[in-house]
Amino acid sequence: MALLELEKVRISFQSRRGRVDAVRDLSLAVERGEILGVVGESGAGKSTIGNAVMGLIEPPGKVTGGAIHFAGSDLRSLSAAEMRAVRGRRIGMIFQDPMSSLNPLLRVGDQIVETIRHHLPLSRSEARERAIALLREVEIPDPERRIDYFPHQFSGGQRQRVVITLALCAEPDLVIADEPTTALDVSVQAQILELLRSLVRQRQIGVIFITHDIGVIAEITDRVAVMYQGEVVEVGKTAAILTAPQHPYTKSLISAVPRPDRKLDRFEVLAYRQDEAEKPNRIDLATHWLGRSNPGDEDAASIDAPVLEVQNVYKSFVTRHSLFPSRRKLFTALDDVSLTIRSGETLGVVGESGSGKSTIARVITRLYRADSGRIVYRGREIGGAMTRNDLAWLRRQIQMVFQDPYASLNRRTRVRDIIAEPIRYHRLADSNSEVERIVADLLDHVGLGAAAGKRYPHEFSGGQRQRVSIARALATRPRLLICDEPTSALDVSIQAQILNLLKDLQAELGLTMMFISHDLPVIRQMCDRVAVMRHGRLVELAATEQLFASPAHEYTRHLLDLMPNILNANSRKRDRP
C-alpha cells in the first residue's frame, strides 16, 4: 500500500460567480522512500494539493470529492483533533514563503522548541539541543547564537532553512515541500536537496516536492507529475518525462527552461494556448513618454563614462548592541567591494545567501548607507551626504524590482495607484489625466492591459504581480534598473516571459541593469558580465561566457559544479550511492 494515495480528489472554491474547481479528479500516489515531483504554472493547483493533504484549505475552499489515504487512514474522515495529531508529527510541510510561515514576534528557537515539545516527549533543554543540531544540519552559521535571533535577522535563504528545520524537527513520515528551494542559492540548495535525499534513504519517508524549477526536479525526484489548470496532464518516471515529454504543455514547460550550456538571444516561449503567446509592444522613444528626460538629467556625466562606479565600499551591521564599542558585535556584509556598470549592459551578481548581493543593491539605491567607500552614479557622488533634491534625483534615476512581489506591493491599494504614486511624487506629469494615461500605457507595456489597474495585488498571480512591480519601477523613467531575484518565485514559463520582457525593455529604453540571482542559467542568458560574491567580498568579475567557460576562482567553479540542470542531472543520480 502506498504511503499517500489521492483518488479522484476534487477541491472547489465557492465565489459570487459560482463554484470554481481548483483541482479536478486528481489521482496520485507516493510510496515510502520516493520523491514525487509536482510541476506546473502558477494557479495549476500544486500548492492546493499540499494544503488539502495537510487539512489547511481555508474557507470557502474545501475538498468536495475523492479520498485522501495516508498510511491506511482516510484523512477526510478524521476529526479536527485527530488531524492536529497527524499534522506536523506524521506529515510535515515546508511552506513557500518563509516570512509568512514564521512568527515575526518570536525568536526562531522558541518556534522550533515549541514544535518539538508539542510532538516529542522532550524537555525544554533537550528540545533546544535538538533545535541547535537541526539548524547546524541545514547550514545555519553559529546556530548556538542565532537560535535566539528573530526571523527578520536572517537572510531570505536562511529563513527558508529555518522553515525546513520546523518541518523536519518532529521526524515526520511524509514531507510536503512547497517550493522549498525558491529563495536558496545553488550551494545551499544542493545541501537541502542532499538532506532530503538522505532522509528518504535512511528513514524511508515519502516526499511531495512542489517546484517550478525543472533542474531541481531532474536532480532530486524519482517520478514527476505535470499539472495544468487543476488536472494532472502527464505523470511518469522523471527521466522519461524530461527527455521524451508527450503532452504539449509538458513540452512547453521544458522548452522554457534556461539553457545552462550556451547563451541564447531570447527565452523560448512555446505557448500551449493561443492567448499565452507573447505580444511584442514596441515604442518610439522619440515621441513616447518613457523616452523623455527627467529633471536634472542634463547635469549627468557623459554617457561614455561608466554609469555606476562602486569603489572600496564597506558595510556592516550591529548584531549585538552595547554602550561600550568593544563589546559590540558587527557583521560585515560588504568588505572592500569595487565594481563598475557600463551604459546599456547588464551586470549579473551571484553568490550564496548572506554573501552581500542584496546589500550592495540597497547601498547603491541608498536604502542603506555605506560605512565607507565611494559610489559614483553618472559622475555624481551618491555614497555620502545628499540633499533632499539630490536624493529625489537619484530615486528617479535608479529603481529596484524586489524579490518578493507579494511583500513589495501595498495590498490595500489598487494597482493603478501603486504605479501612479512615484509619478505624482516626482511630479513627472502635468495633470491627473496624463497620470492615468501613463499608468494605462505602462500596464499595456508590461502585458497586463489598462483594465488591470482597477484590481488589487491579491487578485493577480505571482508572475502578474512581478509585472506590476516592473511597471512601477519604470514609472520614474529610470536609467539604471536593479532586479533583485525578480523571477525566483515564478514558474519557468512565466519566468521566460518576464525575462524576455526585461530584455525588450532594455533594448527599447536603453536601460542599464544590475541583475541579482542565484539561478546561474538565468544569469548566463541575461547578463553581459558577472560578479561573484562570497562572504561580502567580490571574488571574481568577468565576461559571462568567459566565466562559465573557464572560471578563475575556486568558489565560482564550486557554484557552477552545483548548478542543477536537466542536461546532467540523470548522470548525477547514477553517481550517487
Side-chain angles (χ1 to χ4, degrees):
M1 178 182 291
L3 175 64
L4 177 72
E5 191 169 359
L6 291 81
E7 298 179 357
K8 296 186 176 180
V9 171
R10 181 178 293 267
I11 303 170
S12 305
F13 291 81
Q14 198 67 33
S15 71
R16 287 176 294 179
R17 300 182 182 91
R19 192 180 78 173
V20 177
D21 292 329
V23 173
R24 295 185 296 276
D25 298 327
L26 182 138
S27 296
L28 282 176
V30 182
E31 303 288 343
R32 291 185 182 274
E34 177 187 47
I35 302 178
L36 172 70
V38 181
V39 297
E41 65 184 347
S42 300
K46 308 186 300 295
S47 297
T48 306
I49 294 172
N51 291 333
V53 174
M54 293 288 288
L56 294 176
I57 294 182
E58 296 183 2
K62 61 180 179 178
V63 180
T64 55
I68 304 174
H69 296 287
F70 172 70
S73 300
D74 184 358
L75 296 182
R76 292 193 64 197
S77 67
L78 299 183
S79 66
E82 290 171 329
M83 193 64 208
R84 282 195 298 270
V86 172
R87 189 187 301 121
R89 175 63 186 91
R90 301 199 63 193
I91 305 177
M93 189 163 186
I94 304 168
F95 293 94
Q96 178 176 357
D97 182 8
M99 275 308 286
S100 62
S101 55
L102 293 171
N103 189 328
L105 302 180
L106 293 179
R107 301 177 193 276
V108 298
D110 293 335
Q111 298 181 58
I112 299 170
V113 168
E114 178 188 14
T115 304
I116 293 173
R117 295 196 70 199
H118 180 77
H119 295 294
L120 300 176
L122 297 177
S123 68
R124 176 166 291 277
S125 61
E126 290 171 333
R128 182 179 171 88
E129 287 301 316
R130 177 173 175 80
I132 291 172
L134 286 168
L135 289 173
R136 182 178 293 108
E137 192 172 4
V138 296
E139 297 292 329
I140 294 291
D142 195 8
E144 291 84 1
R145 182 168 59 91
R146 304 197 76 183
I147 192 173
D148 294 319
Y149 280 21
F150 290 93
H152 72 270
Q153 294 177 283
F154 293 86
S155 69
Q158 290 168 341
R159 279 193 294 266
Q160 190 66 289
R161 284 180 266 179
V162 172
V163 172
I164 291 170
T165 300
L166 277 168
L168 300 177
C169 65
E171 300 181 348
D173 299 311
L174 174 70
V175 173
I176 301 171
D178 188 0
E179 303 278 7
T181 60
T182 292
L184 306 183
D185 56 81
V186 289
S187 59
V188 178
Q189 176 178 270
Q191 296 164 15
I192 296 303
L193 296 182
E194 183 54 42
L195 174 61
L196 289 174
R197 279 192 294 261
S198 65
L199 287 169
V200 171
R201 288 194 302 263
Q202 296 168 11
R203 297 185 56 239
Q204 287 297 291
I205 68 171
V207 175
I208 298 178
F209 199 97
I210 300 167
T211 185
H212 62 264
D213 193 325
I214 303 296
V216 170
I217 284 288
E219 182 85 4
I220 192 174
T221 62
D222 303 298
R223 291 188 303 127
V224 60
V226 182
M227 290 192 67
Y228 179 70
Q229 292 191 342
E231 297 179 345
V232 172
V233 298
E234 192 165 359
V235 63
K237 294 287 187 182
T238 300
I241 294 292
L242 296 183
T243 57
Q246 300 300 310
H247 197 274
Y249 179 66
T250 310
K251 294 177 182 178
S252 74
L253 276 183
I254 295 174
S255 70
V257 177
R259 292 189 63 100
D261 58 330
R262 60 189 176 89
K263 188 169 185 174
L264 303 175
D265 290 335
R266 290 182 69 78
F267 292 86
E268 183 176 355
V269 179
L270 176 60
Y272 176 52
R273 298 179 309 185
Q274 186 62 35
D275 62 349
E276 290 175 343
E278 290 187 290
K279 301 176 180 62
N281 187 13
R282 305 297 179 185
I283 64 175
D284 181 5
L285 281 182
T287 58
H288 197 276
W289 177 84
L290 283 170
R292 297 183 196 169
S293 296
N294 282 328
D297 278 5
E298 62 276 5
D299 298 330
S302 168
I303 200 170
D304 296 329
V307 169
L308 183 78
E309 297 178 80
V310 177
Q311 301 173 2
N312 310 110
V313 166
Y314 288 83
K315 177 62 182 174
S316 61
F317 297 93
V318 178
T319 59
R320 190 176 75 181
H321 294 270
S322 174
L323 290 173
F324 304 100
S326 61
R327 294 184 181 178
R328 294 174 193 157
K329 285 194 174 181
L330 300 177
F331 170 73
T332 302
L334 297 176
D335 186 1
D336 195 25
V337 174
S338 298
L339 56 85
T340 61
I341 305 180
R342 304 162 187 156
S343 177
E345 80 165 342
T346 301
L347 176 71
V349 183
V350 300
E352 62 190 355
S353 297
S355 63
K357 305 189 301 296
S358 295
T359 303
I360 189 64
R362 290 168 182 264
V363 166
I364 291 169
T365 55
R366 286 297 296 258
L367 295 176
Y368 295 154
R369 180 88 173 265
D371 297 336
S372 63
R374 294 183 72 238
I375 303 175
V376 180
Y377 172 73
R378 302 185 75 183
R380 289 192 184 184
E381 171 70 55
I382 63 172
M386 297 185 74
T387 66
R388 183 174 180 177
N389 288 338
D390 286 342
L391 194 58
W393 172 82
L394 184 67
R395 294 280 187 260
R396 294 192 297 267
Q397 290 283 317
I398 305 177
Q399 281 290 308
M400 192 164 175
V401 179
F402 293 92
Q403 176 177 354
D404 185 0
Y406 296 83
S408 61
L409 298 176
N410 188 335
R411 66 189 70 184
R412 293 184 175 88
T413 305
R414 294 183 189 273
V415 161
R416 65 189 178 196
D417 295 319
I418 290 173
I419 298 173
E421 183 178 14
I423 300 174
R424 292 193 174 106
Y425 178 82
H426 292 290
R427 300 178 182 178
L428 301 179
D430 297 327
S431 64
N432 285 333
S433 60
E434 186 180 7
V435 171
E436 292 172 3
R437 181 183 61 78
I438 292 168
V439 170
D441 185 75
L442 285 170
L443 286 169
D444 278 335
H445 205 65
V446 298
L448 289 176
K454 300 177 182 178
R455 296 155 65 187
Y456 290 91
H458 74 269
E459 299 180 77
F460 295 91
S461 68
Q464 290 171 327
R465 271 191 287 258
Q466 200 61 289
R467 289 175 184 263
V468 173
S469 298
I470 293 171
R472 179 182 60 181
L474 293 176
T476 66
R477 296 190 293 245
R479 295 300 175 254
L480 173 60
L481 189 64
I482 299 178
C483 302
D484 188 3
E485 303 275 10
T487 61
S488 65
L490 307 182
D491 58 77
V492 290
S493 58
I494 304 301
Q495 172 181 266
Q497 296 171 23
I498 293 295
L499 295 177
N500 282 343
L501 172 64
L502 287 172
K503 285 192 171 199
D504 290 342
L505 291 172
Q506 183 178 33
E508 293 170 9
L509 305 178
L511 288 173
T512 303
M513 290 201 299
M514 173 183 280
F515 196 95
I516 300 168
S517 180
H518 63 266
D519 192 326
L520 292 172
V522 167
I523 285 289
R524 184 166 198 169
Q525 301 302 322
M526 289 295 296
C527 302
D528 302 298
R529 293 186 299 145
V530 181
V532 182
M533 297 192 67
R534 186 186 190 193
H535 301 324
R537 297 188 66 87
L538 185 65
V539 298
E540 185 167 359
L541 178 60
T544 302
E545 290 306 296
Q546 176 186 340
L547 183 136
F548 276 82
S550 55
H553 197 276
E554 181 181 356
Y555 178 66
T556 309
R557 291 193 292 271
H558 171 71
L559 289 180
L560 293 175
D561 288 341
L562 292 175
M563 179 174 59
N565 63 80
I566 61 177
L567 300 178
N568 63 11
N570 288 331
S571 63
R572 288 188 185 180
K573 284 183 180 178
R574 289 192 294 269
D575 293 340
R576 292 191 200 108

